[in-house]
Amino acid sequence: MIDNLIETVRSNFEEIKDHRASNSTYTLVNLLMTGFAMFSLKDPSLSHFRGLYPIRSANLERVYGIDSLPSDIALREGLDGVSPSDLQSKFKAPIDLLSKKGVFKSRYVLDGYVAIPFDATGHYCSNKKGCPQCLVKNHKNGKQTFYHQLLGAAAVHPKQSTVFPIACEAIVQQDGNQKNDCELNACKRLIPKVRKMLPNEKIIAIFDALYPNGFHIKELEKEDMRYVIGIKGQSYVNIQVQRLREAGKLQSRTWQKDNKTCTAYFTNGLILNGTHLDVKTNYFEYKEVDNQTGKQVFYSTWITDIPINEQNIEELVAVARARWKIENETFNTLKNQGYHLEHNYGHGKKHLTTNFALLTFLAFLVDQIAQHMDTYFQKAKATCGTFKAFWERIRGIFYLIPVKSMRAIYKFICLNKQLNIVPLE
């Protein structure tokens, strides 16, 4: 499984048109696989990857097909000019594999939908270097901070730990000066990319409270996507809900979970706002009360275009709360569980920072597919306990033992034995 995935990534990289001169020393696919291997092995820096190359070169060629080590300049300049859209398109083959194997079908929610939360995260920050795509924060002392963000979308399930990145979109300076403008403009580009990745699936997109506006909802309608969107503050929806609450016309359902009393209130057919009188939406709110203390421990509110009833409200709440999985199981994992998403591997003048982030997400997607489907991955991870220990074991074996494949490394880890090597004098 894992080696087929790596080979699929490599063969798809070969389809990307080389933007460089025809006499370039290194092939573009070699540069792309070098970047991919660096994130696949969870190396903390480009210098670390280069420093270990002499003792890992044979394994890098066998496992990743890397036949030579490019210089720092060649790697960074080569990747800098690659269009992020070309790189993003290479998520398609691994995602198609999930569809072919019935993985999405096994993770449907609400009678046949793939749940896909959207959210933004930062992945580069500097007080010294900027590029035409950099977002800029101006400080009161006159200094500037240059940073990069991207908007990500991942397929999740409320009851499963694996997440599958579907698409990412860079938030660039041209998107606007305000957070709302930046994210919303990037999301307008991302929505059709997500649909292109999953053309035959019913999709329910999940958003935070930045997105409850008519223009955004109509963009989702264009791509035949349903939505769950958080809402906060005093909106026209809240005014209508308050009137229904006072009249005792909100529907409700209560259930018990984990020693908590869970209550949801809901209604259908509300007008979104005065600007978009033609957009109708449905509302639900949810609270949890600790049975021992009597204190409220959670409360939130959402809108959706899924008709709400007593039969689906509990699952709808679970889907809405699954939005946190893109922050916890995706962004947090990429930043704190070995992938070094926020580390500066290089900035470049065009797309280098974005492309390094995309290669990180692609390596993460391959790992998540292996975690979900590869029994040797699962057994090896269980042998190591934590992911940190698992990645360390893989790297250790990779530069100590000649291996033919990543699967061979997983199998060796499963043996949980020490190599019988004669000590040096």
Side-chain angles (χ1 to χ4, degrees):
M1 168 61 72
I2 183 63
D3 298 298
N4 289 338
L5 286 167
I6 293 172
E7 179 55 35
T8 296
V9 169
R10 180 179 176 81
S11 62
N12 278 276
F13 281 166
E14 292 175 347
E15 299 173 356
I16 297 178
K17 185 178 179 180
D18 198 339
H19 60 90
R20 304 167 303 153
S22 58
N23 62 347
S24 299
T25 304
Y26 308 99
T27 64
L28 182 61
V29 67
N30 197 69
L31 302 182
L32 289 165
M33 284 306 294
T34 297
F36 177 81
M38 181 168 62
F39 298 117
S40 176
L41 292 169
K42 321 302 183 290
D43 285 343
S45 67
L46 180 54
S47 62
H48 183 87
F49 181 89
R50 289 181 57 80
L52 291 175
Y53 182 79
I55 57 176
R56 299 196 303 189
S57 58
N59 283 345
L60 285 168
E61 184 168 6
R62 284 189 289 262
V63 176
Y64 295 101
I66 298 170
D67 55 19
S68 58
L69 177 66
S71 67
D72 284 7
I73 293 176
L75 177 66
R76 288 181 170 130
E77 289 184 351
L79 297 184
D80 193 30
V82 174
S83 168
S85 295
D86 287 342
L87 202 51
Q88 168 67 70
S89 68
K90 304 315 169 190
F91 285 57
K92 188 71 166 64
I95 290 169
D96 284 347
L97 175 66
L98 291 171
S99 294
K100 182 179 179 181
K101 296 295 185 179
V103 174
F104 289 123
K105 185 176 182 179
S106 70
R107 291 157 59 98
Y108 283 163
V109 298
L110 295 168
D111 194 26
Y113 288 93
V114 178
I116 301 183
F118 289 60
D119 202 10
T121 189
H123 59 94
Y124 173 90
C125 186
S126 173
N127 294 321
K128 298 179 180 180
K129 292 184 177 181
C131 71
Q133 284 74 42
C134 266
L135 301 171
V136 181
K137 183 176 182 180
N138 296 304
H139 301 279
K140 292 181 179 180
N141 60 6
K143 294 183 178 181
Q144 291 182 314
T145 297
F146 304 96
Y147 64 102
H148 281 256
Q149 290 185 318
L150 59 76
L151 192 67
V156 307
H157 189 277
K159 297 181 179 180
Q160 297 189 25
S161 61
T162 48
V163 298
F164 304 117
I166 301 298
C168 303
E169 181 66 27
I171 302 173
V172 296
Q173 187 178 33
Q174 294 77 10
D175 281 325
N177 296 320
Q178 303 297 320
K179 174 179 172 66
N180 294 33
D181 293 334
C182 288
E183 281 198 35
L184 287 169
N185 287 330
C187 194
K188 187 176 180 179
R189 299 191 299 273
L190 182 58
I191 289 170
K193 290 182 179 180
V194 170
R195 172 49 74 197
K196 188 174 182 180
M197 288 290 165
L198 295 170
N200 301 316
E201 297 287 357
K202 293 164 60 179
I203 294 174
I204 181 165
I206 312 168
F207 300 90
D208 63 22
L210 181 65
Y211 291 87
N213 68 78
F215 295 109
H216 175 65
I217 288 173
K218 289 181 178 180
E219 291 296 324
L220 291 168
E221 290 176 349
K222 289 179 184 177
E223 300 298 337
D224 191 25
M225 294 186 190
R226 307 285 75 76
Y227 66 81
V228 172
I229 304 174
I231 59 170
K232 292 181 180 179
Q234 188 71 5
S235 69
Y236 191 58
V237 168
N238 295 116
I239 294 173
Q240 296 170 83
V241 168
Q242 185 58 31
R243 291 172 181 170
L244 292 171
R245 194 189 313 277
E246 292 171 354
K249 293 183 178 180
L250 281 182
Q251 295 178 264
S252 66
R253 182 168 176 266
T254 299
W255 63 94
Q256 297 292 319
K257 183 185 72 173
D258 301 330
N259 202 31
K260 291 187 282 287
T261 298
C262 310
T263 304
Y265 294 91
F266 58 93
T267 189
N268 296 294
L270 303 180
I271 297 172
L272 180 65
N273 55 44
T275 306
H276 296 91
L277 296 174
D278 59 322
V279 177
K280 296 296 180 68
T281 192
N282 311 316
Y283 168 92
F284 63 105
E285 62 183 65
Y286 171 74
K287 67 177 180 179
E288 290 181 353
V289 176
D290 188 286
N291 289 341
Q292 291 184 330
T293 65
K295 293 183 178 180
Q296 181 174 291
V297 294
F298 180 83
Y299 176 80
S300 196
T301 57
W302 301 270
I303 57 172
T304 181
D305 57 349
I306 299 288
I308 310 172
N309 54 53
E310 291 189 6
Q311 287 70 46
N312 69 6
I313 183 60
E314 185 173 349
E315 186 177 11
L316 190 58
V317 166
V319 169
R321 299 189 69 182
R323 190 192 71 79
W324 292 103
K325 285 183 172 288
I326 197 169
E327 294 187 9
N328 296 334
E329 275 83 352
T330 308
F331 299 152
N332 181 62
T333 298
L334 290 170
K335 293 178 181 181
N336 302 308
Q337 302 297 321
Y339 292 87
H340 312 289
L341 179 64
E342 291 181 307
H343 180 78
N344 180 12
Y345 288 87
H347 190 201
K349 298 179 180 179
K350 295 180 181 179
H351 311 297
L352 183 62
T353 297
T354 297
N355 286 339
F356 273 142
L358 287 170
L359 287 170
T360 306
F361 273 86
L362 184 57
F364 177 63
L365 173 60
V366 168
D367 285 343
Q368 288 292 289
I369 295 174
Q371 181 180 340
H372 192 84
M373 301 176 65
D374 191 317
T375 55
Y376 283 111
F377 181 106
Q378 296 161 5
K379 291 177 182 178
K381 162 59 172 60
T383 299
C384 295
T386 67
F387 275 111
K388 182 179 180 181
F390 186 35
W391 306 140
E392 287 179 353
R393 189 82 65 89
I394 289 172
R395 285 194 300 271
I397 294 170
F398 199 85
Y399 68 74
L400 284 177
I401 308 171
V403 296
K404 291 184 178 180
S405 65
M406 189 61 73
R407 181 173 181 264
I409 294 176
Y410 295 165
K411 291 178 71 175
F412 183 79
I413 292 173
C414 291
L415 295 175
N416 203 24
K417 292 182 178 180
Q418 187 177 28
L419 277 176
N420 186 19
I421 299 176
V422 177
L424 296 175
E425 294 294 339

